[in-house]
Amino acid sequence: MKALLFLGCTVPVRNLNYELSARKVCEVLGVELVDDQSLACCGYPLKGTDQAHALTIAARALAQARAHGLPLVALCSACAGTLAEAEHHLAHHPEAAKRVNAELAPLGLEYAPGVRVTHLVRYLLEDVGLEAIRAKMTRDLSEFTFAPHYGCHYLKPAEIIGGPDDPEAPTSMGELIEATGAKVDNYPRLKDCCGGGVLGADEDLAGSLAGAKLAELNAREVTAMVLVCPFCNVMYEGQQKAIAKRMETKFKVPVVYLTQVLGLGLGLTPDELGFKLNRAKPKALLAAFKS
Amino acid sequence: MRLNDCDPGFKHEVAAEPGGAGIRACFACAACSARCPVGANRPAYDPRRIIRLTLLGRREEVLASPLIWLCSSCYSCGEVCPQQVRFTEVLTAIKNIAAREGHAPPSAKITAELLAKQGRLLEVTDFENDKRSGLGLPPVQQRPEDFQAILGLKPSEGEAGEEPR
């Protein structure tokens, strides 16, 4: 199994624990991730003000993936969503494809429909499969309970993402967590948005969106909250202290990436999975893995 | 509100933008507003109200409103809409028109300049690559040339790490 890795802007600079654990888990599961240094931004940051150029930038990445002949697999949900939307839009609007190709021609690139774009977590589920992942587990995590945060762009728009989750009742992260033997807490605010999309425009508003979920999880005694997106991480881990301060309270919600949980179940060590870089550390979990 | 002050062409202008056509299908049920997590925290932000103001032709009021920049782009409205308006996309169309008329927040210009300068949003220097190599991760590079060509922007002068003007 081979896929082209789309790292995006944030993960390779700010979320090395996510990248490291994703690469290690893929290695153990027999997935070869191909790197291409010329892949960079997906175009998402420009969409709100200049969607024509955002689309050309996304099409550039799609054209590069096509040249590799590989599925394009992203770690960031915003990248995965933006690229999937661009593929969908361009495949259904030949006039838009013609325009972006005129802009890509001087770069020696050509977009053509048919590139498969997905999030790494969905790739693991759909291409490796839950049974194969379960069969590789060597360490039982049944003493732990994890609270998944699916985030928005991992699930929606459903008509473009195309499953496997129902965005109003998602299960895919829970299934992967359960593959390690761990329990899943599907808490009431499971589907809440992290607010990361408005952090730049209104910090208070973003903080109140993330804060409601943090307050709920703080009271539920989960081992950790589990993420699949670096933007959600900015809110739940990076902003956790600032949000608590604004709400005049204290939170201790450990935050981990799904690939770190899977990695522990697959027999990798906390060091190999980059847990040293987690700031809201899952102390109970790490204590169990002290050698 | 005087009807004479409204611009009946505004809805057509929005509908002509990519993603904007859905506005024609809205029958004002407010499912979007009910499901919106931003509206739940900031009642002044109301997707149905933005749609109605647009359909009425309150062009300047919509384009100059700071509220249109508060969408978290969670797409919840689209999942519950019985008319497939796709409000997130409709609002993107509205924001794009607003940006062309100078209403975008200052961060928008900085984003384009960062991409032209770095080819990515966050700068990558030796510091980042040393950290990566210490963890056994391959280096990442800044290759802004394609982004400069696409955006038609030359990177601004300035010290590394300084925010472009």
Side-chain angles (χ1 to χ4, degrees), chain A residues 148-263:
Chain A
H149 168 74
Y150 288 82
C152 299
H153 296 190
Y154 175 72
L155 301 169
K156 298 172 276 186
E159 63 184 351
I160 288 171
I161 303 296
D165 284 300
D166 170 355
E168 294 296 328
T171 57
S172 62
M173 287 180 72
E175 286 164 19
L176 283 164
I177 291 168
E178 281 170 350
T180 68
K183 290 181 266 304
V184 175
D185 183 0
N186 286 315
Y187 51 100
R189 287 191 177 274
L190 179 77
K191 294 179 292 175
D192 278 17
C193 167
C194 72
V198 284
L199 183 64
D202 191 326
E203 216 176 308
D204 281 342
L205 176 62
S208 55
L209 270 101
K213 181 173 287 206
L214 284 169
E216 182 170 284
L217 288 178
N218 194 53
R220 290 175 77 86
E221 293 180 3
V222 293
T223 307
M225 174 180 198
V226 181
L227 306 182
V228 295
C229 173
F231 268 116
C232 302
N233 180 275
V234 166
M235 295 308 299
Y236 293 121
E237 192 179 38
Q239 296 275 316
Q240 188 174 137
K241 273 188 185 162
I243 291 167
K245 200 175 167 190
R246 202 175 295 130
M247 292 169 75
E248 295 176 0
T249 181
K250 277 190 180 160
F251 297 141
K252 265 191 184 169
V253 182
V255 179
V256 301
Y257 285 103
L258 180 58
T259 43
Q260 292 184 302
V261 176
L262 290 175

Side-chain angles (χ1 to χ4, degrees), chain B residues 94-108:
Chain B
I94 291 172
K95 285 187 290 192
N96 271 242
I97 298 171
R100 288 201 294 270
E101 301 192 5
H103 295 296
S107 59

Side-chain angles (χ1 to χ4, degrees), chain A residues 43-56:
Chain A
Y44 175 74
L46 282 180
K47 209 178 160 196
T49 51
D50 183 358
Q51 57 177 339
H53 281 136
L55 185 64
T56 309

Side-chain angles (χ1 to χ4, degrees), chain B residues 6 16 26 33 42 56 60 64 82-83 85-86 91 103-104 106 115 120 125 136-137 144 147 155 158 160:
Chain B
C6 297
C26 177
S33 300
R42 188 67 61 82
L56 281 168
E60 283 313 303
Q83 287 290 93
V85 170
R86 300 180 180 89
L91 190 61
H103 295 296
L115 289 180
R120 39 177 69 245
T125 65
L137 294 169
F147 292 84

Side-chain angles (χ1 to χ4, degrees), chain B residues 4 14 32-33 42 51 80 83 95 117 121-122 126 131 139 144-145 155 160-161:
Chain B
N4 284 348
V14 171
C32 51
S33 300
R42 188 67 61 82
I51 292 174
V80 295
Q83 287 290 93
K95 285 187 290 192
K117 186 182 167 198
L121 215 47
L122 302 179
D126 289 347
K131 203 172 160 193
E145 298 80 10

Side-chain angles (χ1 to χ4, degrees), chain B residues 2 7 15 30 41 50 73 77 79 100 119 132 134 137 142 163:
Chain B
R2 282 163 48 89
D7 177 351
N41 282 276
I50 295 172
S73 82
C77 48
E79 299 299 329
R100 288 201 294 270
R132 292 179 59 80
L137 294 169
Q142 294 192 168
E163 266 187 354

